[in-house]
Amino acid sequence: GYSRKRYGGSPPPYVQKQYGEGAKHYIQSHYGKAPPPSDNQLLHYKELAIFFFEKDMRPGATMKFQFPRNSNTATFMPRESAQSIPFSSNKLPEIFNHFSVKPTSEEAKTIKQTIEECEAPGLKGEEIYCATSLESMVDFSTSKLGTRNVEAISTEVLEKGATMSMHNYTTMPGLKKLAGDKVVVCHKENYPYAVFFCHAIKQTAAYVLSLKGDDGVKVKAVAICHLDTSEWNPEHLSFQILNVKPGTTPICHFISTDAIAWVPKHKSA
């Protein structure tokens, strides 16, 4: 069972905050539900390629970004095991009990937050689902894409021991647009076992591009471009960074190294 002792008194990995959590929060799912950034945060975000235009992916273009290593090491449970553990906000005492978590602890707060995020309604035209097992993530993705012939792609930092600081990345030739106009993106949540927040978003384009950092590190990055932003909150960070209005232009972002994009496989000619 899950026990705090394993971590020698420090918070378990799913409680440790990742990089630029604020920025990740904006990208992750709930377009416009996050609190507005301060002026200083906005200046910081504007320097980074948190959101960008499709034209910013052309070869030779440079973007400043941070691709942190995936620090979330929670693994999937078999579907049967995952289904036997409650996953809902009205069963929190049972969940805390199952993982031997004190209701007043940081761990408890993280568990509660993840479940609430999973229970929040999606945007119009967006179908959301929290997958608590690999099988349920595959089932959701294939049902939303309308085919079992799918592929899963992720952003990968190709060198080991890469530094995790900010770098300027240059887009290399070979930008590849993936099949379909619908993508299912699954973001890893902070939880004692692997839980992915998946959303099927219509009118999206997914790209894979090769980036080279000013430190020589290569990144195979997955970018998602939202072709219709008309339903987004006008206060959404992307509009503030890019100085555009909802519904006027596609808006793109990278997916983090612990997220997975599911797309239909290209039919071979």
Side-chain angles (χ1 to χ4, degrees), residues 23 83 121 131 147-149 160 173 184 193 204 218 228 238 244:
Q83 283 174 340
T147 172
R148 292 200 70 81
N149 191 19
K160 295 279 175 280
V184 174
Y193 56 88
T204 46
K218 294 190 185 78
D228 178 11
S238 60
V244 292

Side-chain angles (χ1 to χ4, degrees), residues 166-243:
M166 267 335 136
H167 288 288
N168 280 309
Y169 288 92
T170 303
T171 305
M172 309 306 281
L175 177 71
K176 180 181 162 199
K177 185 176 189 296
L178 299 164
D181 61 351
K182 191 175 186 180
V183 181
V184 174
V185 181
C186 297
H187 305 271
K188 199 168 190 189
E189 292 287 342
N190 290 322
Y191 209 70
Y193 56 88
V195 170
F196 279 81
F197 178 102
C198 297
H199 49 152
I201 325 142
K202 293 182 177 75
Q203 293 187 288
T204 46
Y207 294 91
V208 177
L209 58 162
S210 300
L211 302 175
K212 191 170 183 181
D214 50 20
D215 57 348
V217 166
K218 294 190 185 78
V219 175
K220 184 197 89 176
V222 177
I224 304 291
C225 296
H226 299 266
L227 309 180
D228 178 11
T229 59
S230 54
E231 293 291 330
W232 293 16
N233 183 327
E235 299 296 299
H236 187 248
L237 181 68
S238 60
F239 304 131
Q240 298 180 53
I241 288 178
L242 300 173
N243 293 323

Side-chain angles (χ1 to χ4, degrees), residues 7 14 25 51 85 127 131 139 160-161 171 185 249:
Y7 301 101
Y14 68 91
H25 187 89
F51 294 100
I85 304 168
E127 297 163 282
D139 284 352
K160 295 279 175 280
T171 305
V185 181
T249 181

Side-chain angles (χ1 to χ4, degrees), residues 61-75:
T62 59
M63 295 191 244
K64 194 175 185 183
F65 203 65
Q66 181 183 13
F67 289 100
R69 287 237 171 271
N70 182 355
S71 60
N72 183 333
T73 53
T75 53

